[in-house]
Amino acid sequence: MTFMLASWLSLSSTPTLPSQGHIAMMLQRLALCSSLRSRSLQANVCPRFARAVSQTKFPVTHSPGKSAAHRSELRQAKRIVVKLGSAVVTRGDECGLALGRLASIVEQVAVLQNQGREMMIVTSGAVAFGRQRLRHEILLSQSVRQALHSGQNQLKEMSLPVLEARACAAAGQSGLMALYEAMFTQYSTCTAQILVTNLDFHDEQKRRNLNSTLHELLRMNIVPIINTNDAVVPPPVPNSDLQGVNVIHIKDNDSLAARLAVEMKADLLIALSDVEGLYDSPPGTDDAKLIDIFYPGDQQSIRYGSKSKVGIGGMEAKVKSALWALQGGTSVVIANGTDPKVTGHVITDIVEGKKVGTFFSEVKPAGPTVEQQTEMARQAGRTLATLHPDERGEIICRLADLLTEKKDEILSANKRDMETAASAGRLSQPLLARLSLSTSKLNSLAIGLRQIAVSSRDSVGQVLRRTRVANNLELEQITVPIGVLLVIFESRPDCLPQVSALAIASGNALLLKGGKEAANTNRILHQLTQDALSIHGVKDAIQLVSTREEVEDLCRLDKMIDLIIPRGSSQLVRDIQRAAKGIPVLGHSEGICHVYIDSEACIEKAIDIIKDSKCDYPAACNAMETLLLHRDLLRTPLFDQIIDMLRVEQVKIHAGPRFASYLTFSPSEVKSLRTEYGDLECCIEVVDSMQDAVDHIHKYGSSHTDVIVTDNEKTAEQFMQQVDSACVFWNASSRFADGYRFGLGAEVGISTARIHARGPVGLEGLLTTKWVLRGEGHTVAEFSEAGSMKYLHENIPVPQRFPS
């Protein structure tokens, strides 16, 4: 459809309208395309929507009279009204329709209709379409003689008469409807036009007739397209009568959409405008903030700006209409329908429950919103960063003490989570192992936290370098916190105190989003963390997001969050990397770790390292996934002992292509050499040399951790020099790739990226730098060729910022 409209979209900004013949030709082409009914609907839509349509009919539930309390409930909306404001439908020059936007909106409505939902459209645009058409006719009505006599320059400056809106509506409504009909035909969707006035709602007989007509159209799977009958309506009057459920006049399409939604007991009203939603002050002004959720009674906190130049309602009218619809039991979202980055999926995103626009809800949550939590964390985090390192160390030590003092309460909460997870049966055995806490785990956590407390002395405010730029002009580069961190972790409650301690030591604010399977454990661990923070008045620096926010919604807070750190499966990391459009993500794609057994390897070392790397904790990202064997080891005692050990440990073996070729009866051949099993499974492959092992690792590895087992020092050094991974070991288990084991106290994750931090990321990885210049009125002009000063750039000793 978008391609079919290209000829209209490429028109110049001059207010001209395609001829009637042009429109007829386009509609004929559209009709021809739609006649190819043998082709599936998926062929007419983009892949994103094709996948949605290919699914079974949407299992919706209709609960009229009760609005949704949370965005996620919008997924169950069956009857939906989509209101298209004038700014959405019309072009920026106010002459004609924005055909590209309309095409994408129609596509989304058709997709939802074909999911089994009942869709209705309230549209503006007739006046704009008619104004374009009438202006075109007036220009054509000028006589050729007058045009030639006036001269080309005067013709360009010829003023057109002011066109009366009702006449424009009369001239434009038929063309607007013809366009909608042609667009929806492409998706095998039928439409029907309905024009209404106030009388159709306030006269009881007319209201019943309208209601009956709309229900019949919906029953027949037809999309009603509703507009006010602008050819006969009186001029608009001030919006002053939105006071109760039974009192609303139809003066604009905002009030029409609200009245229609309540009348038809719609589940959801989506009002598309030219702004992202409702702001607490006029958009574009300083400190204007988009309101995620708006509640009745919050009107006094809003300062409205001017209305749209093409509409007659304005945001205040939209809010009043939205609250009126909410009072009548219909959920409402006001969102942007003009931004090209989101237009193609704004409606479907809203219905999927994503954080788009402003959601109107009657249920106000007891706690703060995630935006409020982030702001609270940022403010407290700034205070945290100013504390003396010893004070931050005291907080961390207090948290370590609480982990052991409150271990019974922690383990009790963890037991409830384990029982819930086991009964639900949704977690695999490796994930259950990650979820489980024990006394020994808590003791290890406490030891690691105390290590972090000691290292916190050399964190924030450390001077990395100091330079005398010129006389009495000194420059320092010092370490500072990154800002606000968002850490998302799955079924790993021990991650919470580890990451919290690193954030405290580095002076960063922290937002934590844990998996719901560890909800009880996370809750008490966060409570203990805030208790520890309270000893120096920075309790709010670490926040636990316990609301029903989706991870994708959190990743959109690019103006509030500075770094996202995912802790979990490779799929979680990839999902977050895709969702985080404007926020850096520190994470590894996968933990495909290799252990290469060289021809000169010691038998005892090889057996112990393989067993520990694979069997100690197979769910960890630093566990061995592929065992590479030198070809000379096949059919040797070492090979037999490796296979026997793996069988005793119940490790399922998958054969690589070369390994399988050497065996008459081999294990199942591996489907992919890039597999992270995360369980008691591994792949065995054969290589001809150390160099072949390196090449294999570079081709199939994930740059996480790779190991060589050999007694040949030269071979080992070559391996460690050539392998481009975050961690490379010689004669040691891959399981040593861990922040605690490296002496970092803990880690926020293991990064396989090649910028910023790499490998186990501890305290240093959560710091950035800033430059501090101290002068005495120096100016750059003094250092020019004609100036009196010269650059020195001398390195000077770095001071000890926090003496013992």
Side-chain angles (χ1 to χ4, degrees), residues 24 298 566:
D298 287 352

Short mmCIF file of all heavy atoms in Angstrom, two decimals, residues 24 298 566:
data_model
loop_
_atom_site.label_atom_id
_atom_site.label_comp_id
_atom_site.label_asym_id
_atom_site.label_seq_id
_atom_site.Cartn_x
_atom_site.Cartn_y
_atom_site.Cartn_z
N ALA A 24 -9.02 7.95 -9.75
CA ALA A 24 -9.73 6.79 -10.30
C ALA A 24 -8.74 5.71 -10.75
O ALA A 24 -8.94 4.52 -10.51
CB ALA A 24 -10.61 7.23 -11.47
N ASP A 298 -5.34 14.11 39.00
CA ASP A 298 -4.03 14.69 38.73
C ASP A 298 -4.09 15.92 37.84
O ASP A 298 -3.06 16.47 37.48
CB ASP A 298 -3.11 13.65 38.07
CG ASP A 298 -2.63 12.59 39.05
OD1 ASP A 298 -2.90 12.75 40.25
OD2 ASP A 298 -2.01 11.62 38.60
N PRO A 566 22.98 -6.87 31.75
CA PRO A 566 22.16 -8.08 31.87
C PRO A 566 22.94 -9.22 32.50
O PRO A 566 24.08 -9.46 32.14
CB PRO A 566 21.78 -8.39 30.41
CG PRO A 566 22.83 -7.73 29.57
CD PRO A 566 23.48 -6.66 30.39
#
